[in-house]
Structure formats: structure tokens, C-alpha cells
Amino acid sequence: MKKYSVFAIAREAMRGHKGWEAQWRSPEPKKEYDVIIVGAGGHGLGTAYYLAKEHGITNIAVLEKGWLGGGNTGRNTTIIRSNYLYDESAGIYDHALKLWDGLSQDLNYNVMYSPRGVMMLAHNIHDVQVFKRHIHANRLNGVDNEWLTPEQAKAYCPPLNIAAHARYPVMGAALQRRGGTARHDAVAWGYARAASARGVDIIQNCEVTGIKRAANGAVTGVETSKGFIGAKKVGVVASGHSSVLMNMAGVRMPLESYPLQALVSEPVKPVVPCVVMSNTVHAYISQSDKGELVIGAGTDQYISYSQTGGLHILEHTLDAICEMFPIFTRMKMLRSWGGIVDVTPDRSPILAKTPVKGLYVNCGWGTGGFKATPGSADVFAHTIARDEPHKINAPFTLERFRTGRLIDEAAAAAVAH
Amino acid sequence: MLLIRCPYCEEERPELEFRNAGEAHVARPADIAAISDEDFEAFFFIRSNPKGIIYERWRHIHGCARFFNAVRDTVSDKFVMTYKAGEPKPKKLPGVAK
């Protein structure tokens, strides 16, 4: 892998940019690997990267039925934050946040992590009380989060409407300054390039159609559209399709898959300097470096794998955006899309070993997995390499739905799921 | 937006009138306090989440307010049929192979 640097740019500029190489290899699959990762999104590619970098396992295939980064990694609204209520969640999301800081240098790839601040608006007394509780809980966990008055919120994000007569009055806000955004595609591409350079085979257009098990129950490999590929360890990181894949190994999951939609506007000059979230009215907004407003909506109410959702969901979100930012009422929306998110009953992920020997699962990130990408990948690699969870993901078991030891962010995540 | 036929009102109405109520034909144990943790997990948390034909409950909350069941393809989001609550899971589905 040729290192990216200012010198590389200068060198290529001198010779007509003819020396750039492909960012990752596209090999045909080998007969057998030490580890197979199913799903080449950010979490899966990152897992392969950390397996190679931290644990010395390089005989890895990452299998992807479509193109890498084409699932939820390429469909989210790129928001990064770690201000979750419970200790377990703060642990894993803040682990990710610490890795975001420095990820570009680590990968030699600009993932454009921008800690521009994530501001969550409080519109009623309940919001105010819940957010203040979050702020205190976060501070006890060493996670930055602070309370802003409406005037401070407007100073931080000038186009915000804080008028007392507003339909959704702003009674204050919680601000995590280390939160922000990153370029989602670059995260997948950066991990893919760095993993490929360490010997990981990334195999696109290769759909897994079955998970093979030996007589003793242990995993022996996967059936794919490119034939059987052997491996004693298989990690499933397939977001909305995780339960479909786990069913192939005979494991029924506490997951339901819903469409989640987002949309972007025409590009305009810089106007939204941070990320603004409003859980009560269900809207997420930030501005990309290209100038588009990036707007996240809510999930549809029914299970679907269609990667589309109802228009009324988007209308509801845009209604809210226009109330909070009257300046945007005449903006034109350029495009919208949907992704399929796998939601657990307690709205916390499952990052764990499974009842099947050699089968590991990283799923259930629901509507908010992007922010966790580096942290999730790091501890999942640990789980696969050592065959035991890292202490950070130890609570995120599959068994918690039997023992009752839930991590109930469904009630506490400060987002309306 | 989905168009859903309410089997009680006998008419197709927009999704906004309805509330999805999860997987259908999940039987609540008669004595829930007596069942094992495994059985409780299976009843309460585990879902089939199929890619393909799903049997699900809907409630016509802004109409007749009654619960009913539907068969839908989760890939195309097209409804195969709807039927009244309490009716058995249909064995043959109109227009569906297998």
C-alpha cells in the first residue's frame, strides 16, 4: 500500500495522476480462511482490520453480497456521539469516540471526523429532566455533556428558532462537544484499504447462502454464491440481515428489521455549524462538507427488507425541521433513501459469542450504529480472536434476553427509537 | 405508504389509520409465571423477522379500532391478504408459490 501524504499528491500531480493504485485488492476467494466476516460495512471491515492489526490474524475474508459500504454504512446520517445513559453503553460508545479521534492517522485515510458538537433539544419539562439526568450520568462516566439555555443553544446554532411561541419551544439543550460527524463512505473505504494492505481478502458480490456446521455443532464454513468457503470462525456483521444469517445456523434472534430513512437537501453555504437532534419531534440535522443538509427521519412501524419507507415518515420529519429552522422552509430536497436497521428489544446491540461454537455476532445496532463503528469493530475483533468478549462488550450478550440483564436504552438512549 | 385492507371495515385504507402490532400467532402462555426463562425469552423477545412472508397483527386504530392479522411480503411490502383476529393462520396463500 502506497502511503497517502502531501508528497504523494505532489508526486502524482507532477506525473498526471497516473500512479494511484487501487485502494484494495479484489481477489477470488480461497478455499479456507482462519476467520470469515460476513458483511463489508464499517463494522465488518473494521473488525477485519483490528483482527489483523491487534491480534495478528491476517488470513481473513470479508464477504459482501453487494458492494462494500453499500448497506447502512453508506445510508446513515453520520452522527457521532457517546452520551448514552447506562454505564455499559457509555463504555462502548465512548470507546468508539476515543478511536474516532486519531482514526484518520491510524488508517492513513481521511475519514473527516469533525467534532463539531451534537446538540439535543429539550422541548418540554420531561426532556429537560431527562437530559439533565443524562448529563450527570455522563459526567460520572467521564463523558462530556453540558446543559445549554435556549439562548446558549441559539448562540451555538444560530438558525435555530427559540421563540417562545414556537410550535416546539426550545427549553434548553444538551451539548456533547466531542460529538460530531465523519464521512461515512471514507470509513468503509479507509478500513477496507488498511485491512487489504494487511492481507485481508475483501470479496464483494459474494452472498452467503448458508452456514455449515460439523456434527459437533461447530462452524465449518459458509456456502456462498461463489461456492463453499471454509473457516472455523465466522463473524456475522450484517445489520438488517443479521437474523436471516443467524437463522442459517439455527439461532433465532431477538431482532426485528425496520426501514429507516434519511434525505439530503440541495447544497447551500455553511449555515448549520453542528449536529442538532430533536428526539421529541424526531428530527436529526447536520450539514455535510458539500453543503447539503443531511436529515435523518424515524423508522417505519412495520418489518421490511425493502430499503424504502413511507413518504409520510419523511414529511413528519421535515415538518419538524421547518418548525425548528424556519429559514429552511423553502429548501429543496435532493434525494431520500432507506436502510434496514435491526432493532433489539432493549435497543442495545448484541456483540457476543453465540450458542454455536465458532460463530460470533455483532448486530442490533438499530438506528444508531455508525457512531460506534471503530469501538464495535475493535472489541468484536477481540471477541473473535480470543474467543471471549472484551470487558467493554461483555455485557452485550445474546443471553441477556434470557437472564433479564438488559441494557435498557429503549427507555434511556435520549432518542426516540 | 401502505394501503391496508381492514377485514372488518372491508375496505382499503391508508397506513396512517393503522398501527402495526408485531408478529401474529405468538401465543401468550396460559400461566406465564410458571414458564421457564427459556420459554419466556422465546415468547417475549425472540421474533421470526422473516425476509419474505410475514404474519403480523395490525390495529385499525383510527377506524374501527379492531385488531386483525395480515400476511405480507417483507421484501416487496405487498400484502397477500388480511384476515380477522382469531382466525387460524391461512395454510394456502393466494398468489404465493409454496
Side-chain angles (χ1 to χ4, degrees):
Chain A
M1 180 178 88
K2 286 186 189 164
K3 197 171 186 316
Y4 289 160
S5 68
V6 66
F7 303 108
I9 293 173
R11 188 178 64 238
E12 292 304 327
M14 305 283 270
R15 55 181 191 185
H17 294 286
K18 295 210 170 87
W20 298 115
E21 57 188 10
Q23 297 193 7
W24 50 82
R25 297 169 295 109
S26 296
E28 284 302 305
K30 291 190 275 186
K31 286 263 181 291
E32 185 155 9
Y33 290 90
D34 292 340
V35 178
I36 287 175
I37 304 293
V38 184
H43 292 249
L45 292 164
T47 303
Y49 170 70
Y50 292 114
L51 274 169
K53 181 184 175 224
E54 308 286 348
H55 305 282
I57 301 171
T58 56
N59 188 25
I60 304 172
V62 183
L63 308 182
E64 169 57 51
K65 71 171 176 171
W67 66 96
L68 70 84
N72 292 348
T73 297
R75 292 165 189 266
N76 61 76
T77 51
T78 80
I79 297 170
I80 295 168
R81 62 185 181 89
S82 66
N83 51 354
Y84 282 69
L85 181 66
Y86 289 117
D87 296 352
E88 297 90 342
S89 312
I92 196 161
Y93 289 107
D94 210 53
H95 180 56
L97 196 49
K98 285 174 185 139
L99 288 173
W100 279 114
D101 195 11
L103 189 62
S104 294
Q105 285 73 25
D106 186 30
L107 297 178
N108 181 230
Y109 206 99
N110 188 3
V111 300
M112 298 166 73
Y113 166 53
S114 164
R116 60 184 67 178
V118 171
M119 195 163 77
M120 296 173 148
L121 301 179
H123 297 294
N124 51 47
I125 296 289
H126 175 76
D127 283 352
V128 172
Q129 290 170 344
V130 167
F131 286 2
K132 286 188 172 175
R133 181 183 174 208
H134 269 73
I135 287 167
H136 293 309
N138 291 154
R139 285 168 62 178
L140 287 172
N141 278 318
V143 176
D144 73 303
N145 201 2
E146 62 193 87
W147 180 253
L148 302 184
T149 63
E151 293 72 27
Q152 288 170 320
K154 181 152 179 82
Y156 200 75
C157 185
L160 184 65
N161 177 19
I162 60 164
H165 65 267
R167 182 171 174 197
Y168 308 117
V170 175
M171 298 177 74
L175 173 66
Q176 184 177 26
R177 290 182 191 271
R178 287 190 305 149
T181 59
R183 170 107 163 85
H184 49 0
D185 295 324
V187 175
W189 298 337
Y191 273 126
R193 174 171 170 267
S196 178
R198 287 174 184 269
V200 173
D201 284 357
I202 300 162
I203 299 154
Q204 303 181 68
N205 300 310
C206 179
E207 181 171 2
V208 171
T209 53
I211 296 176
K212 288 282 169 207
R213 297 171 63 181
N216 67 359
V219 166
T220 58
V222 295
E223 291 289 351
T224 76
S225 52
K226 297 193 178 202
F228 177 79
I229 307 173
K232 294 211 164 43
K233 291 184 174 183
V234 173
V236 172
V237 200
S239 64
H241 281 73
S242 295
S243 64
V244 175
L245 278 151
M246 295 299 286
N247 266 329
M248 295 174 187
V251 182
R252 298 192 72 214
M253 298 293 288
L255 291 173
E256 291 189 299
S257 297
Y258 297 99
L260 179 66
Q261 297 181 85
L263 66 167
V264 293
S265 73
E266 59 191 334
V268 290
K269 287 182 178 177
V271 59
V272 182
C274 58
V275 178
V276 178
M277 298 174 52
S278 172
N279 312 314
T280 301
V281 294
H282 222 297
Y284 308 76
I285 186 167
S286 63
Q287 192 170 17
S288 75
D289 293 349
K290 276 190 287 185
E292 304 149 324
L293 299 179
V294 181
I295 297 168
T299 57
D300 280 89
Q301 56 174 333
Y302 50 85
I303 289 172
S304 174
Y305 291 82
S306 63
Q307 292 190 322
T308 59
L311 184 63
H312 60 287
I313 302 281
L314 297 179
E315 283 179 341
H316 173 70
T317 292
L318 291 176
D319 279 352
I321 295 285
C322 291
E323 291 290 341
M324 293 186 297
F325 299 96
I327 189 176
F328 296 146
T329 49
R330 299 179 70 182
M331 289 279 283
K332 290 181 176 61
M333 293 298 135
L334 272 193
R335 61 185 186 277
S336 68
W337 62 91
I340 301 303
V341 298
D342 48 330
V343 177
T344 58
D346 63 358
R347 304 304 192 265
S348 287
I350 299 165
L351 242 161
K353 297 172 68 172
T354 69
V356 178
K357 185 173 165 47
L359 184 65
Y360 306 84
V361 69
N362 181 352
C363 66
W365 290 97
T367 59
F370 176 74
K371 65 173 80 69
T373 304
S376 145
D378 184 38
V379 297
F380 193 50
H382 179 108
T383 306
I384 293 174
R386 308 275 182 89
D387 195 35
E388 63 178 20
H390 189 282
K391 68 177 187 331
I392 289 175
N393 68 311
F396 295 91
T397 63
L398 189 49
E399 288 74 32
R400 70 178 188 270
F401 299 99
R402 183 173 310 161
T403 62
R405 188 140 190 95
L406 304 180
I407 304 159
D408 198 0
E409 294 288 354
V415 299
H417 288 282
Chain B
M1 188 183 302
L2 305 178
L3 275 177
I4 305 174
R5 180 181 167 81
C6 174
Y8 295 102
C9 303
E10 298 184 338
E11 121 175 84
E12 270 197 343
R13 304 293 299 165
E15 181 195 337
L16 288 179
E17 292 187 7
F18 297 84
R19 180 72 53 82
N20 185 287
E23 191 171 336
H25 303 292
V26 178
R28 184 181 172 86
D31 183 2
I32 203 155
I35 65 174
S36 68
D37 288 353
E38 285 76 13
D39 289 344
F40 183 79
E41 180 194 23
F43 157 69
F44 202 68
F45 290 126
I46 304 292
R47 292 292 177 264
S48 57
N49 197 31
K51 184 175 185 179
I53 295 297
I54 190 172
Y55 297 82
E56 62 188 358
R57 299 193 309 159
W58 286 86
R59 188 178 179 202
H60 195 181
I61 192 164
H62 299 300
C64 64
R66 300 185 77 168
F67 282 93
F68 62 92
N69 292 332
V71 187
R72 184 172 55 88
D73 184 338
T74 60
V75 178
S76 66
D77 288 339
K78 286 204 170 102
F79 282 91
V80 176
M81 62 182 290
T82 57
Y83 53 102
K84 291 177 181 172
E87 290 180 5
K89 200 170 178 172
K91 287 206 174 76
K92 274 190 156 178
L93 299 178
V96 177
K98 284 188 284 187

